[in-house]
Amino acid sequence: MLHLLHKPLEAQKPSRRTFLKMSAGAVGGLIIAAKMPNAAKAAAGADEFVQPFVHIRPDNTVVVLSKHLDKGQGTANGLATLVADELDASHEQIVLALAPSNPQLYANSLFGVQGTGGSTAIPNAFMQYRQAGAAAKAMVVSAAAKEWGVPAGEITISDGVVSHASGKSATLGELAGLAANEDVPAEPALKTPDQWVYIGKSFPRKDVKNKTVGAPNTYTIDFSREGMLTATVARSPRFGGTVKSFNAAEAKKVAGVVDIFQIPNGVAVVAESTWPAIKARDLLEIEWDDSAAETRSTDEMMTELKDMTTKSGLKVREDGDVDAALDASAKVMEIDYDFPFLAHGAMEPLDIVGEFDGETAQFWFGSQIPTIDHNVASTILGIPFEKVSINTLWAGGSFGRRAQGDAHPVSEISFLLKAMREAGMEPRPVKIVWTREDDMAGGYYRPMSAHKIKVGLDGDGNVTAVKYNIAAKSIIKGTAFEPMLMPNGVDHNMTEGASDTTYSFPMMNMDQAFQETPVPVLWWRSVGHTHTAYVMETMIDRIAKETGKDPVALRLELLKDDPRKTNVLKLAAEKAGWDTPLPEGRHRGVAVHKSFGSYVAEVVEISIREDDTVKVEKVVAAVDCGVPVNPDNIRAQVEGGIGYGLGAILRNQVTLSDGYVEETNFDTYESLRMSDMPEIEVHIVPSTDSPTGIGEPGTPPIGPAVANAIAAAKDKWITSLPFTKAGLV
Amino acid sequence: MSVTLKINGESRTLDADPDSPLLWALRDELGMTGTKFGCGIAACGACTVHWDGMPIRSCQTMVGDLEGAEITTIEGVNGKAAKAVQEAWNELDVPQCGYCQSGQIMAATALLAETSKPTDEDIDIAMDGNVCRCATYARIRKAIHAAADKMEA
Ligand code: FES
Ligand code: FES
């Protein structure tokens, strides 16, 4: 599947330039993007105020366009909070919208292309959206001043009402057309934090109402176009397999099937609606060419990974002669860990709608990296970039699944649209639906990985050196992101959270090795931190146990150079009553981790059931993510991040047998459910630092915190995941 | 084959393959997309609708079995329990991605219609079939308790 996309990307000039721009890095991008939002001046005479991020309509609604995909993390509402605050709009009049693909207007200033990921939405847009709101406000005020013949400095806006002491007043909507004719201020004055009315306080989510009434056209799977067809695709059951031959005679007999096409990664069944497309696909007879496919089991792949960790690899961090330091240590602890493939299992399986008339193409879906999707579609269809439009729809979850560097959904539908056209079909829109099995058995997993650590201790129990070897398939290598993210051949996505630890070890070396396999891998909520945090934080508890120290005290000792981590750790410990005795049968564990710029400490309380399985009863989390833009949404993200991580740690793994995926739906890949969910308390550190990520940072600490609690209860260290393997779930 | 049934109080005739799941008939034939597809094997609850007030999985309920049935979907659910649930969901900002929430709301409404003051254990039992990958469970639990209080008031 991967090969399919890399070719068009490499062959295409504009995309090459785009990625060069990406590698130019964050600094240049930031400056340009920050200046961009108010670039265009609206046409004179319009009664609407239209700027890239803010539209003020005559009906007095204020539309805030989110340049980031909202897949549940509350980004659209978060960005609207920033605009509403600076503009002094009312909560009621705000309408959320998702911006279409347009790299000039909507680039992520940290990526250089339009894209959502790495918990960057609020961090990269914090100034930009506030400036957009402030510029709109300045233009409205200036228009009102002219209209009323009063000094601009005497005009105020509050809760969406523009007013002057003379008694004159108007709504934002009434002034929209006039404001559109004002000059866009280059440096609009921003509020000081004490003037904020929503930021750091409350701005309830505006997308909730639609999501409680089953509103139409919210998600891609619900989206419909006149005359739209529905397609399913039979893809190789082994990763890297291709179609050798197929027989569609039986499938074609199913009522409602329109036609069947071979496309590069499979066979597409095109039908009038979903059910015939699903039913007919089961009747296809396909012979697959597995000559380049992965045919190993995950056990075999893990053996290879473990072997890789016994050898030296690429140097990620090298403080000194770690082997000598270990040799000179009084004691060396050696621990091996292994982590499985994980599917994202977003609630809405993948889907995409597209149409193509030979000259222009349109797509509708939850596109997480629209600039890549846009380039890929234009390359495959052979039409200019400007002739492609991508409309962004709300996504029913993603957790990284929709951020494919290879744009495989848009690639697949583009090939299908092309095939339909070449077959002489009248142009009709088509929606490709992934079933749960397609989604779950389709790869793009959190990579499986093996880790080997050696920790040296001196006679007093102090750490002398840490040697850390990790092996996994690289998410980045071989993708369009490689030039930007692996400039010297090292994949930091794999080692983040370990190689950059702020624990003050006298010496730490870290090596990495890359597994080669056709199984596509991808970012999964918190990426490398999903495994490195587990290793680092259980390692600390093992050192504490070995040296007879308290886990919190040992962390504080080793974190003397990291005041923010220290702070969240102390806060979580205090709120959880770390030093107070627990009721009979309860056990505590702790972990603290920094990811995506944010600091999260979690103290868990578990009980052991009569059948010896573990129940996580309670989690107390402390979070420092800079300015807390929307505190309730931060709590929601931490709650969800904990639940997501907990479900995976307890019982999730994707295994292969002879290359075939064994867990293909929620019956075998068992999700966290209501009865598993602990009570969660989230404490947010007040801060004036720039806001940092929150979609992911709640996830990494939960696994090790629970593992540490289990060790406290049963003196059993779990090093092979998920916990089901140890019979604890 | 054609089947006549009531959906949200209105009589509808479905012209569909009798083996076709109600889920796809609702979504594709009737354009009622509030009921979601999550797994297709009755393992996630995203497709939950009511049949005579009982929560069922529409992905595993075949059109051929529905002659004369009374089906309620998220688009048509109303009454005291539904109203309380939807209000509580809004007040507590329960949804994240929201994709599972039609099913959650249908399950919670059926629970409250049956048990007006559910315990945590009742909630575990009634809601365990409804997966939320965003893990909004803690808020769902709070919202069900809040809805129960509203119904009492
Ligand atoms: S779609 Fe019916 S239970 Fe999952
Ligand atoms: S809110 Fe996203 S799956 Fe429940």
Side-chain angles (χ1 to χ4, degrees):
Chain A
M1 293 182 199
L2 277 171
H3 69 277
L4 209 152
L5 260 299
H6 293 158
K7 277 186 204 127
L9 271 182
E10 303 218 336
Q12 213 228 2
K13 287 267 153 42
S15 65
R16 295 293 285 174
R17 276 206 299 276
T18 308
F19 299 121
L20 284 179
K21 202 176 139 205
M22 284 168 73
S23 57
V27 185
L30 250 178
I31 297 160
I32 301 158
K35 297 273 186 212
M36 215 141 14
N38 306 307
K41 196 167 165 174
D47 58 357
E48 195 165 350
F49 176 95
V50 179
Q51 291 290 334
F53 298 146
V54 188
H55 297 182
I56 307 175
R57 292 185 188 140
D59 67 1
N60 201 31
T61 53
V62 174
V63 182
V64 180
L65 286 93
S66 171
K67 64 176 186 171
H68 292 289
L69 175 64
D70 198 311
K71 38 209 156 48
Q73 78 284 39
T75 302
N77 197 69
L79 299 179
T81 307
L82 303 175
V83 168
D85 204 316
E86 292 291 347
L87 175 57
D88 282 307
S90 70
H91 178 260
E92 201 199 333
Q93 73 190 142
I94 294 289
V95 174
L96 307 182
L98 304 181
S101 167
N102 185 330
Q104 273 77 39
L105 295 179
Y106 300 120
N108 182 322
S109 48
L110 302 174
F111 299 172
V113 299
Q114 189 176 351
T116 307
S119 295
T120 58
I122 296 292
N124 97 91
F126 185 61
M127 294 304 284
Q128 195 178 36
Y129 274 71
R130 287 174 62 207
Q131 279 166 351
K137 178 178 181 172
M139 292 159 79
V140 168
V141 165
S142 158
K146 282 182 196 156
E147 186 70 3
W148 298 339
V150 301
E154 291 177 7
I155 290 174
T156 57
I157 309 184
S158 172
D159 217 20
V161 180
V162 190
S163 54
H164 181 257
S166 60
K168 292 200 187 308
S169 92
T171 63
L172 291 172
E174 285 162 352
L175 290 165
L178 293 173
N181 294 320
E182 293 298 314
D183 287 331
V184 181
E187 303 283 342
L190 297 179
K191 286 182 176 178
T192 49
D194 57 304
Q195 295 171 318
W196 287 336
V197 287
Y198 303 124
I199 299 172
K201 299 186 169 84
S202 166
F203 198 80
R205 280 178 69 155
K206 299 285 301 192
D207 52 333
V208 161
K209 180 79 203 299
N210 271 350
K211 292 173 175 178
T212 56
V213 295
N217 281 340
T218 304
Y219 308 96
T220 307
I221 199 168
D222 305 339
F223 186 78
S224 188
R225 297 278 287 168
E226 185 65 33
M228 188 181 78
L229 298 162
T230 304
T232 54
V233 177
R235 303 171 186 88
S236 170
R238 279 170 157 166
F239 297 105
T242 51
V243 177
K244 191 185 271 176
S245 65
F246 73 102
N247 176 351
E250 287 304 309
K252 276 192 176 161
K253 288 184 193 155
V254 173
V257 169
V258 174
D259 210 341
I260 291 175
F261 300 94
Q262 184 173 351
I263 55 173
N265 69 332
V267 179
V269 177
V270 178
E272 293 290 347
S273 63
T274 318
W275 182 243
I278 292 175
K279 199 172 159 176
R281 186 178 59 170
D282 287 344
L283 300 172
L284 288 170
E285 289 163 28
I286 306 175
E287 200 185 331
W288 299 96
D289 175 356
D290 283 342
S291 52
E294 179 59 84
T295 55
R296 288 178 291 176
S297 69
T298 33
D299 284 347
E300 290 168 89
M301 292 170 75
M302 186 51 78
T303 303
E304 179 183 76
L305 287 169
K306 283 188 176 287
D307 186 53
M308 286 172 150
T309 63
T310 62
K311 299 169 183 146
S312 48
L314 257 172
K315 304 289 168 218
V316 182
R317 169 173 171 166
E318 198 171 19
D319 292 354
D321 189 343
V322 78
D323 290 321
L326 289 172
D327 279 347
S329 300
K331 183 176 171 77
V332 176
M333 299 165 59
E334 181 174 340
I335 314 165
D336 291 300
Y337 292 86
D338 62 82
F339 298 85
F341 281 134
L342 290 175
H344 302 79
M347 205 69 216
E348 178 187 17
L350 285 179
D351 40 24
I352 185 167
V353 176
E355 65 187 30
F356 176 50
D357 64 8
E359 281 167 19
T360 60
Q362 279 217 77
F363 299 92
W364 293 263
F365 66 115
S367 171
Q368 202 168 330
I369 316 180
T371 309
I372 295 184
D373 291 331
H374 208 134
N375 274 299
V376 166
S378 109
T379 307
I380 293 171
L381 295 173
I383 57 174
F385 191 88
E386 315 75 66
K387 295 286 184 190
V388 173
S389 46
I390 294 182
N391 307 285
T392 315
L393 298 178
W394 298 79
S398 168
F399 314 112
R401 181 65 184 89
R402 287 181 182 265
Q404 317 95 0
D406 67 0
H408 71 94
V410 86
S411 154
E412 200 169 275
I413 199 168
S414 298
F415 280 118
L416 175 58
L417 289 165
K418 208 172 148 188
M420 286 162 61
R421 186 162 180 81
E422 283 165 3
M425 263 175 82
E426 276 298 298
R428 284 175 74 177
V430 64
K431 178 197 290 178
I432 301 184
V433 168
W434 271 251
T435 61
R436 175 59 56 195
E437 290 80 3
D438 295 340
D439 190 284
M440 197 167 277
Y444 297 89
Y445 303 129
R446 190 283 300 268
M448 55 193 293
S449 60
H451 305 232
K452 179 183 278 301
I453 56 166
K454 290 182 185 168
V455 182
L457 299 173
D458 68 16
D460 299 324
N462 299 310
V463 175
T464 54
V466 176
K467 180 175 177 171
Y468 192 146
N469 286 5
I470 182 171
K473 179 173 179 178
S474 168
I475 297 169
I476 313 296
K477 202 168 177 283
T479 73
F481 297 104
E482 187 175 340
M484 176 177 79
L485 295 175
M486 293 176 67
N488 46 18
V490 170
D491 178 358
H492 291 283
N493 269 204
M494 188 189 291
T495 59
E496 60 187 2
S499 57
D500 53 358
T501 182
T502 53
Y503 285 125
S504 55
F505 304 129
M507 184 188 296
M508 177 165 165
N509 284 11
M510 189 163 187
D511 282 17
Q512 70 179 177
F514 301 140
Q515 184 169 50
E516 299 290 334
T517 167
V519 182
V521 294
L522 197 55
W523 298 286
W524 186 102
R525 198 175 194 168
S526 82
V527 195
H529 302 280
T530 59
H531 43 81
T532 57
Y534 189 91
V535 171
M536 295 298 287
E537 288 301 294
T538 54
M539 173 181 96
I540 295 290
D541 263 51
R542 290 179 81 148
I543 298 170
K545 172 101 183 167
E546 185 68 35
T547 58
K549 290 180 179 159
D550 172 76
V552 170
L554 174 61
R555 283 177 174 79
L556 292 174
E557 190 185 310
L558 290 168
L559 288 173
K560 55 185 189 304
D561 301 326
D562 193 339
R564 291 176 76 181
K565 224 185 214 180
T566 297
N567 191 29
V568 290
L569 177 60
K570 281 186 175 163
L571 182 60
E574 179 206 316
K575 297 287 182 188
W578 180 261
D579 293 322
T580 59
L582 279 162
E584 178 72 26
R586 294 282 180 114
H587 311 273
R588 282 195 196 104
V590 64
V592 58
H593 194 76
K594 177 190 178 190
S595 60
F596 309 97
S598 296
Y599 302 77
V600 181
E602 290 168 16
V603 174
V604 304
E605 212 175 290
I606 64 162
S607 61
I608 309 287
R609 298 192 189 95
E610 270 175 14
D611 63 357
D612 222 26
T613 60
V614 171
K615 163 91 172 105
V616 180
E617 303 281 356
K618 186 172 176 183
V619 182
V620 176
V623 183
D624 175 357
C625 57
V627 172
V629 172
N630 190 331
D632 190 55
N633 195 56
I634 291 168
R635 280 190 285 275
Q637 285 309 298
V638 174
E639 290 161 9
I642 287 172
Y644 194 72
L646 181 60
I649 292 287
L650 291 178
R651 35 178 187 243
N652 289 158
Q653 59 177 334
V654 173
T655 58
L656 307 183
S657 165
D658 297 331
Y660 295 103
V661 176
E662 294 183 295
E663 297 78 10
T664 61
N665 206 323
F666 290 128
D667 54 346
T668 42
Y669 192 87
E670 289 182 64
S671 180
L672 188 88
R673 290 178 187 265
M674 176 64 85
S675 57
D676 301 312
M677 188 72 177
E679 180 192 339
I680 299 178
E681 224 177 84
V682 181
H683 301 275
I684 302 169
V685 174
S687 170
T688 50
D689 284 309
S690 297
T692 45
I694 203 57
E696 299 168 270
T699 301
I702 187 65
V706 176
N708 289 338
I710 291 170
K714 301 166 71 80
D715 203 17
K716 177 171 185 159
W717 297 98
I718 301 171
T719 55
S720 179
L721 292 166
F723 290 180
T724 38
K725 284 191 187 169
L728 289 168
V729 184
Chain B
M1 158 176 181
S2 89
V3 169
T4 303
L5 72 170
K6 267 197 175 162
I7 298 179
N8 298 332
E10 263 180 62
S11 176
R12 311 290 296 245
T13 301
L14 292 174
D15 265 318
D17 173 355
D19 294 341
S20 128
L22 171 63
L23 170 67
W24 296 114
L26 287 171
R27 294 180 53 86
D28 286 357
E29 275 210 50
L30 304 177
M32 296 168 71
T33 55
T35 305
K36 301 298 189 230
F37 166 66
C39 69
I41 60 162
C44 79
C47 66
T48 306
V49 299
H50 295 173
W51 182 349
D52 294 336
M54 293 291 291
I56 58 150
R57 309 296 182 223
S58 64
C59 69
Q60 284 292 321
T61 305
M62 304 309 154
V63 166
D65 297 331
L66 288 173
E67 184 63 44
E70 291 207 18
I71 299 293
T72 307
T73 71
I74 184 75
E75 288 93 347
V77 71
N78 57 28
K80 202 172 166 189
K83 209 170 148 258
V85 164
Q86 280 165 326
E87 264 178 38
W89 249 244
N90 276 277
E91 282 162 18
L92 291 173
D93 270 6
V94 171
Q96 290 189 22
C97 84
Y99 193 80
C100 72
Q101 300 292 344
S102 298
Q104 305 283 0
I105 286 170
M106 295 308 284
T109 300
L111 166 66
L112 285 168
E114 186 80 354
T115 312
S116 59
K117 205 74 189 148
T119 61
D120 278 339
E121 210 193 332
D122 294 334
I123 294 175
D124 281 350
I125 293 166
M127 304 302 291
D128 246 12
N130 286 77
V131 169
C132 174
R133 293 294 293 161
C134 300
T136 63
Y137 301 114
R139 287 184 188 220
I140 291 174
R141 185 186 299 282
K142 274 193 203 118
I144 291 175
H145 288 306
D149 292 345
K150 278 176 194 293
M151 286 169 69
E152 211 174 43

